[in-house]
C-alpha cells in the first residue's frame, strides 16, 4: 500500500501530536511527509489529564518506555475511576469502575451472577471493586504493575499533565521527521473537485497536501469551517456544557484512581499527578452560573484551593455528522466531544487514527470505505455517549433540579433503552450486549459495574426464586487479596517511596 505522500495536520494539541506520532510511525518509512501547523497564539484546551488503557497502547506502538515519558509528564498510574455521591438513595456512597484486566476472567462470573441474583431480590454483594483486581489495588493504593511472577497481563490507564504530554509527543514526532510549523491558518484553498488543496497561513504561504487532518479543537476549522460538515449536538441527552478548573497541591499519598464526586449541578474530578491534583467541576449552565460553580468547587476542595487561579471553559457535547469528508479527517475535539466523565476523548483519538490508517492501507480511498469508516466512528462515539447518559439517568439524588431533570430525561437512544430494559427485566445482559451491533469501549463488565454501582436493583426480597446459585464474594476477596499482595505501592512504583512515607 502507498500512503498519501503529504499529510498536513491542522492543530498541535494532544490530538494533533498523537496523530503526527502515529502517522510518522506507520507511514514515515514509506516516504510519507507529515507536517503539523499550529497557531502560536491559540492555546490548546489545557485539560484532559486522565486516560483509558489506550494511552498505554499508544506508547507501546511508539516504542516509548514508561520510564521515559511518565516522569516528563508528572504521570501516575490509574487503575480505576471512583464515583462518589451519585446514588445516595440506593445507599451506595461510592463505587469504582476499575479497568478490566486479564485475571478478572476468574471473578467476572461471580460478579455477574451476583448482579443477577441481586436483581432477583437476594441480598448478595455487588460492589464491583470487590470483584476486580484493579479495584482491590486502588483501594490498597498499589500500582497496577504486576510482579515478575504474575502470569496475567495488567491493563491500566494514566493521569498526566496534558501540556507536558503534548510537548513530549511533539519532541518525539519532530525527532521522527514531522515538520512543525508555528503559524495561524487563515483559510483553505480548494481544488476544483472540492477537496482541500492547501492551508493558507497568516504569512500568506500555502501549505499543500494530499490529506488533511483537522485537529484544530472545538473550532473544527477544516471540517465545519471549510467543508461545512454539520455538527450533531448531544445537548438533549447530556446537560453539562461548562467546566471550571482549579489545581491543588499534591497529597502525601498519590491515589491510583480518578475520583468523580457528584455536586449540585454536575460533578467534580480529582486527578492525582506527581506534582499537583488536577481538579475541575463539569456543570450545566442552565442550572448554575460560572461564579456559583467556582464557589462550589472551592468549597468542595477546601483550603487546598486557597489562592489557586480558576480557569473557565465551555463546550457543546456532540459530534460531526461525518468524521471523514473528502480528503479530510477530523480527530480530537474537532470531531466532537461527549463529556469528560470516563475520560474517553484520547481513547477515541487513538481509535479514529488506527481505524483510518487501516482503511487507507486496505486501499480504501473509495466512498464505500469512507462511509463504512464514518458509520463505525459515529457508532463508537454514540455508545460512549450512551454509557455516560446512563450515569445521569440512574442517579438517585434529590438535592437539585439538575439531578431530578437528568433522572426524568427521556432522550435515551434505542440501544440504551434496550440495555436498561434487559437489566430491569432481569435478563441476560452479557448475552444481549454481545449480540448488539458495533464495537463499544464499554462492554458487559463495565455495564454491570455501572448498574450495580448505582444500586439499580429491586428492593431486597421483592421476588426470590429458589433455583439460583449464589456466589458470595468471600472467596473472591480472598483470591484477589492474595493476588494483590506482591504488587508495589503506587509511591514505590513512581520512585517516590521515600517522599510518601
Ligand atoms: C473539561 C474537559 C475535561 C476533559 N478531560 C479529559 C480527560 O480526562 N481525558 C481525556 O481523554 N480527554 C479529556 N478531555 C478532552 C481533551 O482535553 C481533548 O480531547 C484533548 O486535549 C485533545 O484536544 P485537541 O488536541 O483536539 O484540541 P486542542 O487542545 O484545543 O488543540 C487545538 C489546536 O488547534 C490549533 N488551532 C486552532 N485554530 C487554529 C488556526 N486557525 N491555525 C492554526 N492552528 C489552530 C491550536 O493552536 C491548538 O494547537 C476533556 C475536555 C474538557 C473540555
Amino acid at each position: 500500500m502507498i500512503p498519501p505522500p503529504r499529510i498536513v495536520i491542522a492543530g498541535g494539541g494532544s490530538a494533533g501530536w498523537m496523530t503526527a506520532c502515529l502517522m510518522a510511525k506507520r507511514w514515515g518509512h514509506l516516504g510519507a511527509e507529515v507536517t503539523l501547523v499550529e497557531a502560536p497564539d491559540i492555546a490548546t484546551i489545557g485539560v484532559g489529564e486522565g486516560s483509558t488503557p489506550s494511552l498505554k497502547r499508544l506508547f507501546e506502538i511508539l516504542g516509548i518506555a514508561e520510564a521515559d515519558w511518565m516522569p516528563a509528564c508528572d504521570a501516575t498510574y490509574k487503575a480505576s475511576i471512583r464515583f462518589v455521591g451519585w446514588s445516595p438513595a440506593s445507599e451506595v456512597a461510592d463505587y469504582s469502575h476499575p479497568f478490566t484486566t486479564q485475571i478478572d476472567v476468574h471473578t467476572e462470573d461471580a460478579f455477574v451472577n451476583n448482579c443477577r441474583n441481586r436483581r432477583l431480590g437476594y441480598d448478595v454483594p455487588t460492589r464491583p471493586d470487590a470483584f476486580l483486581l484493579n479495584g482491590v489495588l486502588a483501594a490498597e493504593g498499589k500500582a497496577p504493575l504486576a510482579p515478575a511472577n504474575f502470569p496475567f497481563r495488567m491493563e491500566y490507564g494514566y493521569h498526566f499533565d496534558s501540556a507536558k504530554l503534548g510537548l513530549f509527543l511533539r519532541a518525539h514526532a519532530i525527532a521522527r521527521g514531522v515538520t512543525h510549523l508555528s503559524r495561524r491558518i487563515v483559510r483553505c484553498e480548494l481544488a476544483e473537485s472540492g477537496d482541500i488543496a492547501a492551508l493558507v497561513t497568516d504569512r500568506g504561504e500555502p501549505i499543500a497536501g494530499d490529506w488533511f487532518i483537522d485537529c484544530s479543537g472545538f473550532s473544527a476549522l477544516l471540517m465545519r469551517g471549510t467543508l461545512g460538515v454539520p455538527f450533531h449536538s448531544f445537548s438533549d441527552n447530556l446537560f453539562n456544557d461548562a467546566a471550571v478548573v482549579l489545581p491543588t497541591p499534591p497529597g502525601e499519598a498519590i491515589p491510583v484512581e480518578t475520583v468523580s464526586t457528584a455536586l449540585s449541578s454536575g460533578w467534580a474530578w480529582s486527578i492525582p499527578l506527581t506534582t499537583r491534583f488536577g481538579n475541575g467541576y463539569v456543570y450545566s449552565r442552565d442550572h448554575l452560573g460560572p461564579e456559583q460553580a467556582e464557589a462550589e468547587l472551592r468549597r468542595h476542595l477546601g483550603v487546598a484551593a486557597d489562592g489557586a487561579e480558576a480557569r473557565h471553559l465551555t463546550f457543546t457535547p456532540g459530534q460531526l455528522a461525518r468524521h471523514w469528508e473528502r480528503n479530510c479527517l477530523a480527530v480530537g475535539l474537532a470531531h466532537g466531544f461527549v463529556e469528560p466523565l470516563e475520560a474517553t476523548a484520547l481513547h477515541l483519538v487513538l481509535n479514529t487514527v488506527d481505524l483510518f490508517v487501516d482503511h487507507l492501507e486496505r486501499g480504501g480511498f473509495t466512498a464505500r470505505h469512507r462511509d463504512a469508516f464514518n458509520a463505525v466512528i459515529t457508532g463508537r462515539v454514540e455508545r460512549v455517549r450512551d454509557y455516560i447518559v446512563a450515569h445521569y439517568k440512574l442517579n438517585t439524588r434529590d438535592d437539585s433540579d439538575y439531578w431530578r431533570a437528568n433522572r426524568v430525561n427521556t432522550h435515551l437512544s434505542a440501544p440504551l433503552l434496550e440495555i436498561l430494559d434487559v437489566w430491569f427485566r432481569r435478563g441476560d445482559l452479557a448475552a444481549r450486549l454481545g449480540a448488539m451491533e458495533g464495537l463499544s469501549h464499554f462492554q458487559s463488565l463495565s455495564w454491570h459495574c455501572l448498574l450495580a454501582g448505582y444500586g439499580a436493583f429491586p428492593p431486597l426480597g421483592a421476588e426470590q426464586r429458589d433455583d439460583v446459585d449464589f456466589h458470595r464474594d468471600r472467596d473472591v476477596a480472598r483470591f484477589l487479596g492474595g493476588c494483590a499482595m506482591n504488587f508495589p505501592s503506587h509511591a514505590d512504583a513512581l520512585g517516590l517511596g521515600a517522599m510518601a512515607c
Side-chain angles (χ1 to χ4, degrees):
M1 126 75 205
I2 302 169
R6 294 168 305 170
I7 300 159
V8 180
I9 300 169
S14 317
W17 286 114
M18 276 172 77
T19 306
C21 288
L22 285 165
M23 292 201 167
K25 171 81 186 178
R26 291 283 286 263
W27 287 338
H29 65 290
L30 297 174
E33 288 171 20
V34 183
T35 302
L36 185 147
V37 192
E38 68 170 321
D41 54 343
I42 302 178
T44 59
I45 188 143
V47 283
E49 308 205 310
S51 85
T52 67
S54 58
L55 193 63
K56 181 164 174 268
R57 211 166 73 71
L58 172 80
F59 283 110
E60 284 167 2
I61 293 170
L62 299 180
I64 301 173
E66 287 181 347
D68 291 329
W69 79 268
M70 284 185 71
C73 301
D74 304 342
T76 65
Y77 293 102
K78 174 179 171 186
S80 161
I81 305 177
R82 190 152 56 87
F83 296 89
V84 178
W86 290 68
S87 194
S90 301
E91 296 181 359
V92 180
D94 68 330
Y95 84 93
S96 289
H97 178 197
F99 293 123
T100 311
T101 201
Q102 203 183 11
I103 196 172
D104 295 331
V105 77
H106 295 294
T107 52
E108 175 174 353
D109 280 354
F111 175 51
V112 169
N113 282 334
N114 269 20
C115 286
R116 177 170 156 267
N117 292 336
R118 182 66 188 77
R119 280 187 283 155
L120 292 169
Y122 289 98
D123 185 8
V124 289
T126 53
R127 237 190 115 81
D129 15 339
F131 290 86
L132 303 171
L133 181 57
N134 267 329
V136 174
L137 294 176
E140 293 188 7
K142 289 186 167 177
L145 291 186
N149 61 352
F150 189 74
F152 299 95
R153 179 179 161 87
M154 291 298 294
E155 289 293 351
Y156 51 85
Y158 304 98
H159 304 115
F160 49 87
D161 181 306
S162 67
K164 291 184 179 175
L165 180 74
L167 290 175
F168 186 91
L169 292 174
R170 176 166 95 179
H172 181 83
I174 291 170
R176 268 131 202 98
V178 172
T179 304
H180 176 211
L181 298 177
S182 192
R183 319 257 201 282
R184 184 187 264 256
I185 301 156
V186 288
R187 63 184 177 85
C188 295
E189 278 174 5
L190 295 184
E192 267 181 25
S193 62
D195 283 1
I196 298 176
L199 308 182
V200 182
T201 73
D202 49 0
R203 301 185 189 178
E205 64 190 333
I207 301 166
D210 302 297
W211 267 92
F212 293 84
I213 318 291
D214 189 346
C215 297
S216 62
F218 285 131
S219 63
L221 206 60
L222 312 187
M223 290 295 264
R224 292 175 76 178
T226 301
L227 299 176
V229 176
F231 181 79
H232 290 168
S233 166
F234 294 155
S235 299
D236 284 343
N237 318 92
L238 292 165
F239 301 157
N240 293 347
D241 59 0
V244 50
V245 182
L246 262 176
T248 53
E252 276 196 4
I254 300 178
V256 197
E257 59 185 5
T258 301
V259 178
S260 300
T261 307
L263 298 183
S264 78
S265 303
W267 59 278
W269 75 74
S270 164
I271 289 187
L273 309 186
T274 54
T275 48
R276 63 172 162 84
F277 274 95
N279 311 285
Y281 181 8
V282 186
Y283 63 95
S284 152
R285 279 177 289 165
D286 279 348
H287 296 85
L288 197 71
E291 283 164 20
Q292 293 166 294
E294 181 178 333
E296 191 180 347
L297 180 61
R298 286 187 185 279
R299 278 197 304 280
H300 169 65
L301 297 172
V303 288
D306 283 356
E309 202 176 322
R311 208 158 61 80
H312 290 262
L313 35 107
T314 60
F315 58 87
T316 306
Q319 65 172 326
L320 292 176
R322 295 176 295 282
H323 300 264
W324 167 357
E325 178 85 341
R326 294 188 170 277
N327 61 339
C328 187
L329 172 75
V331 178
L333 297 175
H335 96 155
F337 183 54
V338 182
E339 79 133 275
L341 198 66
E342 299 284 353
T344 48
L346 292 181
H347 166 83
L348 288 168
V349 167
L350 185 62
N351 252 224
T352 306
V353 176
D354 249 3
L355 194 71
F356 178 73
V357 167
D358 285 348
H359 270 69
L360 286 193
E361 287 190 353
R362 278 191 260 122
F365 283 92
T366 60
R368 188 169 65 83
H369 271 76
R370 183 200 58 214
D371 293 347
F373 170 90
N374 280 333
V376 171
I377 298 296
T378 300
R380 285 189 189 171
V381 175
E382 286 176 349
R383 297 297 75 78
V384 167
R385 177 203 60 195
D386 290 348
Y387 191 80
I388 291 175
V389 169
H391 275 283
Y392 293 100
K393 181 71 186 166
L394 295 170
N395 91 82
T396 63
R397 292 178 71 95
D398 208 17
D399 56 330
S400 71
D401 286 347
Y402 169 87
W403 290 107
R404 285 186 288 271
N406 269 296
R407 203 159 48 246
V408 298
N409 187 10
T410 50
H411 288 99
L412 308 179
S413 73
L416 176 54
L417 281 171
E418 190 178 342
I419 289 166
L420 296 178
D421 184 60
V422 172
W423 176 266
F424 287 111
R425 282 174 189 271
R426 304 173 170 90
D428 185 343
L429 183 59
R432 183 59 66 89
L433 285 164
M436 282 168 80
E437 262 184 39
L439 188 64
S440 172
H441 170 56
F442 297 108
Q443 307 213 341
S444 165
L445 206 47
S446 288
W447 278 102
H448 279 85
C449 288
L450 187 149
L451 288 150
Y454 281 83
F457 296 115
L460 282 174
E463 183 184 328
Q464 294 196 350
R465 285 176 25 195
D466 293 333
D467 60 342
V468 288
D469 178 20
F470 288 119
H471 289 260
R472 295 267 172 201
D473 74 338
R474 216 180 28 243
D475 296 336
V476 169
R478 200 179 304 130
F479 172 68
L480 285 179
C483 292
M485 207 162 61
N486 294 325
F487 278 65
S489 81
H490 195 201
D492 284 340
L494 296 169
L496 302 170
M499 193 186 102
C501 289

